[in-house]
Amino acid sequence: MSRNDEVAEEVSDCFERRSSEAKRKSPQNFPKPDDNLMTSMNSANNEHKTRTNGDNEDLEPGNLLHADHKPRLLLMGLKRSGKSSISNVVFRKMAPHETLFLETTTTIRKEAMHSFMDFQVWDLPGQIDYLDPDFDAESIFGGVGAMIWVLDAIDNYMEPVSRLTETILHLQHSYPDIKYSVFIHKVDSLTEDFRDDTMRDVRQRITDDLYDAGLENPPITYYGTSIYDHSIFEAFSKVMQGLVPQLPTFEALLNTVSANCRFEKAYLFDVYSKVYIASDTTPVDMKAYELCADLIDIIVDMSEVYGWDRGQDQQETDRSQAVAAPSAESFVSNIKGYHLYLKEINRSALRAQVRQGFRLTIYRNLSFIGISKYSDFEISKVLVDQNMQAFQDTLLKVFPRG
Amino acid sequence: MNSLKKPQKKKVLLMGKSGSGKSSMRSIIFSNYVAKDVRRLGATIDVEHSTVKFLGSLILNLWDCGGQDAFTETYLTSQKSQTFSDVGVLIYVFDVESRSFEGSNPRDLLTYTAVISALAEYSPSAHVFALVHKIDLVQNVFRDSVIQDRTLAIQEYSGVFSKKLKVYGTTIWDQSLYKAWGDIVKSLVPNLHIIDGYLHDLAEETSAEEIILFERATFLTVTNVTSELGERNPYSDRQERLSNVIKTFKHSLSKYTHSSTASHPFSEIAIKAPRFNLILARLTNNTYVLVILPPGDLEIELSRFNIMAAKDRFVELDIMGWAAGDTERLEGKLNGRIKDGR
């Protein structure tokens, strides 16, 4: 908890905003959002403090970026392309229509996520030219795992395309490992045909420009996104999965679990951002993803409403519950023959870590969701619980920091 | 008791200036539209009548009155008696952005006064609800003061109804719509006290912190029982919030299963969390019940049985509302369904 206290000051401003604006806030029975989210406005010292709290390393602020293994995601793009809206919707649960009131970003905003692994999302203001030689590129681009270029689909996309290719060409020598993703944003306002045309055109232009400059097969993936539906979460999930080195192991694990428990589809979700870290290797069904994301929404909302601290009255039950209910769990039965099963991974995993003296920074907010069509699912739920326990234990071993 | 045997028909008038959002909110509450779908709605011409069954026993005759000046004039002149007689509830919608609300020529309020005086003439016992709609267009910090201002102004023009009048700030984009409509519908449910009594019994049996009864199709709150502990819950807007989130989830389910939104979406949602247990289960054909319990595996299983046991009593209550002749046929149907489902 001491960690929370120290972080509290820095996050207080963003929380005030959250509590007044955001319709959905973080659930209270899931870990406190204090650790999940911070906007320490371009203050390296603050960053330094929060980051080293957990690991007691003494680092000079200048060394930070190298010493730090957190993968970093950059959100870049021209001004008014929707970068801040994206980061607010995905990481702060802002309702999409409320992003209308967002003001122009003027400083680099850093969102730290501590879930399955720690990573940061930096929202870079669009009006600054980062290619200026006077600019300390290392402080921004050093240690970046992935860059998301947000491109406004309903605006003229000539300029952003040329800015992007410039940026890529500029960065590819010094930082060849960066993976690029282009979010062709605001596609919700385009008709389907036009959307495909736009996406094809953007892709063609970028590929051509880079080819002309001598860069073949650039590491770029393209996504059509909109904050008004699930596409933005889906796209973020894909980008994030690119940063997870253990992805094949997760997928294999999920395959095993869903085969043994007769799940049609199984996901490992980060509850807080609704980004999925991994899924089993059956083809991804956008609808199944949406359903799972909505299940998380309803559970988070209900947990928030009823997860308040009941103080004294709770004490007795707290003890019995520590044995009986190690982690949150939810079950939706008989949706036209389907069953939904959600199991929060973190709690018992956390406890295991405490026991073994590990650090507390991984595993928070992770949930497993399975969709089953097996008619006797409810009867065999005990077995599923048992399997989930085994799954959880294995997951713990996969993580490198253990 | 005789009154309970017949279906109760209540006339609900939905009025307000053209484009203020009457049809939009009606579609969201009763026709399973999601907020962004209302763009598709065109202007309402004359009056659109619709009948909505609420709780099976209560039939709402919804008159969605097109708000263009020409129509409003006919309601107040040639169709006056037809429109304003036997009204159970008048819902008057004000557009928060309207430019003719206040000032030298408060047209909105003047029309409203004309409507109110017609209502006072033909149905003096009606309930009046005024909704200050599209409140999402006002920034958060100003909302309360805007609603307060409007409330005072509307009250001033409400004549004999100014005491009974209830004003709500609403928007289709969040739960405020459910808050207003929950209250509107509550004012219409005839056998609320019986349902309340049963719910109290159930709460005692299950030692629940809170029990909320939702109507199936709209997921509006019918009634709720809250224990002493539950009263301390810091979220006072939880009922409408739940209505909102469950309804959203329902849409998502029906999208996944390709089924109609009007059908039964699920038989149960259970959440086991460290601080509470939650069961949202189908109670009768027309209702879902939400039970909040103390944490622990045992509690959730026990109360599942209690809810099952309580089902029969609530089913009876549902049937009481149906026309006498229907009862037998329905009873057979209901029993069949209860056996299928859980």
Side-chain angles (χ1 to χ4, degrees):
Chain A
M1 272 295 129
S2 67
R3 187 190 154 90
N4 283 353
D5 295 341
E6 284 174 65
V7 179
E9 209 178 300
E10 290 139 48
V11 293
S12 64
D13 70 312
C14 84
F15 270 108
E16 273 158 27
R17 214 173 311 132
R18 262 165 64 84
S19 51
S20 63
E21 281 179 9
K23 193 179 65 177
R24 300 204 180 98
K25 282 154 281 180
S26 150
Q28 295 192 348
N29 71 321
F30 295 133
K32 281 268 184 317
D34 304 39
D35 332 55
N36 295 338
L37 182 108
M38 48 190 105
T39 15
S40 35
M41 295 287 189
N42 68 16
S43 142
N45 282 327
N46 281 352
E47 272 299 305
H48 178 216
K49 198 168 76 187
T50 55
R51 195 173 303 146
T52 50
N53 277 335
D55 34 18
N56 296 324
E57 288 166 281
D58 207 10
L59 296 173
E60 290 299 310
N63 290 339
L64 251 180
L65 302 162
H66 303 286
D68 152 32
H69 298 296
K70 276 184 204 174
R72 200 188 303 150
L73 264 172
L74 288 188
L75 267 174
M76 289 183 76
L78 293 197
K79 60 181 183 203
R80 304 192 53 78
S81 56
K83 299 175 294 301
S84 303
S85 301
I86 291 178
S87 110
N88 274 297
V89 167
V90 177
F91 298 104
R92 293 203 193 166
K93 299 273 154 276
M94 184 181 273
H97 62 272
E98 283 180 30
T99 56
L100 280 176
F101 297 123
L102 283 178
E103 288 178 15
T104 308
T105 313
T106 47
T107 52
I108 298 177
R109 286 166 44 141
K110 300 162 186 176
E111 309 267 358
M113 294 253 311
H114 304 270
S115 69
F116 63 108
M117 61 180 186
D118 293 350
F119 63 88
Q120 286 184 316
V121 178
W122 285 21
D123 181 5
L124 304 189
Q127 54 272 53
I128 300 173
D129 182 11
Y130 297 95
L131 306 183
D132 196 318
D134 296 338
F135 206 77
D136 182 9
E138 181 62 21
S139 72
I140 299 217
F141 299 109
V144 167
M147 179 198 283
I148 296 171
W149 188 277
V150 185
L151 188 145
D152 189 340
I154 50 176
D155 202 7
N156 181 4
Y157 47 76
M158 292 313 205
E159 200 195 338
V161 163
S162 66
R163 279 278 292 277
L164 170 64
T165 49
E166 250 173 70
T167 312
I168 293 177
L169 291 170
H170 184 83
L171 293 179
Q172 60 149 331
H173 296 294
S174 331
Y175 312 101
D177 294 335
I178 299 181
K179 290 176 181 137
Y180 299 92
S181 306
V182 177
F183 282 13
I184 298 160
H185 197 48
K186 310 185 192 174
V187 287
D188 55 308
S189 49
L190 301 179
T191 59
E192 211 139 291
D193 295 348
F194 199 51
R195 181 183 309 180
D196 292 343
D197 284 351
T198 310
M199 288 186 62
R200 200 177 313 121
D201 194 33
V202 168
R203 183 194 302 236
Q204 195 59 46
R205 276 172 202 281
I206 293 174
T207 318
D208 286 354
D209 281 6
L210 288 175
Y211 187 82
D212 290 347
L215 185 62
E216 279 181 68
N217 297 324
I220 307 180
T221 15
Y222 299 85
Y223 305 93
T225 59
S226 157
I227 52 171
Y228 292 95
D229 57 29
H230 290 82
S231 58
I232 188 69
F233 295 99
E234 174 87 18
F236 247 110
S237 303
K238 289 280 156 53
V239 173
M240 232 68 109
Q241 285 167 20
L243 298 178
V244 181
Q246 306 93 336
L247 186 65
T249 320
F250 288 155
E251 285 180 343
L253 267 174
L254 285 167
N255 277 340
T256 317
V257 168
S258 51
N260 287 329
C261 301
R262 306 200 192 183
F263 285 124
E264 290 215 320
K265 186 79 193 154
Y267 288 99
L268 207 52
F269 261 92
D270 174 61
V271 171
Y272 191 70
S273 58
K274 289 193 287 183
V275 159
Y276 69 95
I277 306 323
S279 75
D280 63 345
T281 45
T282 52
V284 170
D285 174 8
M286 190 65 183
K287 281 199 182 114
Y289 168 77
E290 285 176 14
L291 184 65
C292 293
D294 288 333
L295 176 69
I296 289 179
D297 269 347
I298 188 175
I299 289 173
V300 164
D301 270 339
M302 286 180 163
S303 305
E304 190 197 347
V305 171
Y306 288 107
W308 50 286
D309 188 0
R310 288 162 179 81
Q312 288 293 328
D313 304 328
Q314 193 94 28
Q315 292 249 311
E316 286 168 50
T317 45
D318 257 353
R319 222 171 300 121
S320 62
Q321 159 252 314
V323 187
S327 62
E329 170 186 323
S330 174
F331 181 63
V332 183
S333 62
N334 201 9
I335 315 149
K336 300 271 175 287
Y338 288 94
H339 304 279
L340 274 174
Y341 176 84
L342 177 142
K343 177 97 179 165
E344 193 187 14
I345 302 289
N346 51 351
R347 232 159 274 273
S348 55
L350 273 179
R351 202 169 5 253
Q353 286 178 352
V354 174
R355 208 166 38 229
Q356 294 163 29
F358 294 148
R359 289 208 325 234
L360 293 174
T361 39
I362 57 171
Y363 261 13
R364 256 171 305 203
N365 281 345
L366 219 51
S367 276
F368 169 89
I369 299 188
I371 301 176
S372 173
K373 219 179 171 179
Y374 179 44
S375 57
D376 287 336
F377 187 82
E378 286 175 272
I379 300 162
S380 58
K381 199 164 153 287
V382 183
L383 288 175
V384 173
D385 286 341
Q386 190 62 38
N387 282 336
M388 285 313 299
Q389 194 56 48
F391 172 67
Q392 214 161 294
D393 294 344
T394 323
L395 261 191
L396 198 66
K397 290 185 195 143
V398 176
F399 271 96
R401 298 200 197 174
Chain B
M1 286 307 266
N2 198 26
S3 65
L4 295 174
K5 294 259 196 252
K6 278 190 224 135
Q8 307 259 323
K9 276 199 181 175
K10 299 267 182 167
K11 183 164 157 190
V12 179
L13 280 187
L14 196 53
M15 299 185 101
K17 205 176 75 159
S18 165
S20 57
K22 301 174 290 299
S23 304
S24 301
M25 61 168 86
R26 184 193 60 153
S27 312
I28 287 174
I29 298 282
F30 294 107
S31 313
N32 283 305
Y33 274 55
V34 291
K36 64 179 176 203
D37 288 349
V38 302
R39 269 182 234 163
R40 298 203 300 252
L41 292 170
T44 309
I45 304 300
D46 215 353
V47 183
E48 268 178 27
H49 300 270
S50 49
T51 26
V52 182
K53 252 189 217 147
F54 191 83
L55 277 177
S57 60
L58 178 68
I59 293 171
L60 302 184
N61 250 335
L62 211 59
W63 290 42
D64 183 358
C65 307
Q68 286 161 47
D69 292 344
F71 300 138
T72 315
E73 203 144 293
T74 52
Y75 307 143
L76 290 170
T77 52
S78 54
Q79 299 177 358
K80 196 170 178 183
S81 66
Q82 189 194 342
T83 312
F84 289 100
S85 53
D86 299 323
V87 175
V89 170
L90 167 73
I91 301 161
Y92 203 92
V93 185
F94 290 95
D95 183 346
V96 77
E97 277 214 315
S98 166
R99 284 163 202 280
S100 51
F101 183 79
E102 270 165 323
S104 55
N105 182 20
R107 278 231 327 269
D108 293 7
L109 285 171
L110 292 177
T111 321
Y112 171 69
T113 327
V115 168
I116 282 291
S117 53
L119 187 70
E121 192 180 323
Y122 289 94
S123 325
S125 62
H127 297 269
V128 179
F129 293 88
L131 308 184
V132 180
H133 199 48
K134 307 188 189 172
I135 196 78
D136 58 306
L137 295 172
V138 179
Q139 276 191 37
N140 260 324
V141 275
F142 302 118
R143 282 185 195 174
D144 286 345
S145 66
V146 166
I147 294 172
Q148 219 162 14
D149 286 355
R150 296 286 155 98
T151 309
L152 289 176
I154 294 167
Q155 247 162 7
E156 201 182 307
Y157 284 84
S158 298
V160 287
F161 290 101
S162 63
K163 289 249 165 52
K164 272 206 287 187
L165 170 85
K166 284 192 183 143
V167 183
Y168 297 88
T170 56
T171 159
I172 55 170
W173 299 100
D174 69 19
Q175 66 260 25
S176 58
L177 190 66
Y178 292 89
K179 161 93 184 147
W181 278 89
D183 284 3
I184 291 169
V185 160
K186 249 184 238 177
S187 73
L188 289 168
V189 177
N191 43 4
L192 198 60
H193 57 284
I194 309 176
I195 302 177
D196 251 348
Y198 285 0
L199 221 52
H200 268 287
D201 292 350
L202 184 62
E204 256 164 52
E205 291 299 325
T206 52
S207 67
E209 182 185 306
E210 182 157 63
I211 298 188
I212 305 178
L213 194 69
F214 291 105
E215 203 273 335
R216 172 186 65 93
T218 57
F219 267 103
L220 291 172
T221 313
V222 179
T223 179
N224 67 315
V225 176
T226 311
S227 77
E228 230 169 274
L229 178 67
E231 291 290 353
R232 301 210 327 258
N233 191 325
Y235 296 94
S236 53
D237 62 346
R238 55 188 181 277
Q239 293 178 14
E240 54 270 21
R241 247 178 94 161
L242 291 168
S243 298
N244 197 1
V245 298
I246 298 168
K247 211 157 176 201
T248 316
F249 187 58
K250 206 177 98 173
H251 282 299
S252 158
L253 289 179
S254 62
K255 216 159 113 195
Y256 184 70
T257 55
H258 303 289
S259 56
S260 107
T261 30
S263 60
H264 291 285
F266 53 85
S267 31
E268 183 188 290
I269 296 181
I271 301 176
K272 268 188 237 174
R275 278 180 169 162
F276 67 95
N277 275 325
L278 177 152
I279 304 181
L280 175 67
R282 196 164 110 203
L283 188 65
T284 69
N285 233 6
N286 299 307
T287 50
Y288 274 84
V289 69
L290 175 96
V291 186
I292 306 296
L293 300 156
D297 277 346
L298 194 61
E299 273 83 355
I300 205 162
E301 297 301 336
L302 274 177
S303 55
R304 210 169 265 162
F305 280 111
N306 277 322
I307 294 172
M308 293 271 269
K311 254 180 194 171
D312 291 345
R313 284 176 88 182
F314 283 96
V315 169
E316 264 170 45
L317 204 65
D318 262 12
I319 292 167
M320 266 203 285
W322 294 88
D326 286 346
T327 316
E328 246 167 70
R329 185 171 51 84
L330 274 163
E331 208 154 17
K333 219 195 228 172
L334 278 178
N335 285 339
R337 275 204 204 151
I338 287 159
K339 265 176 227 151
D340 297 342
R342 287 171 27 90

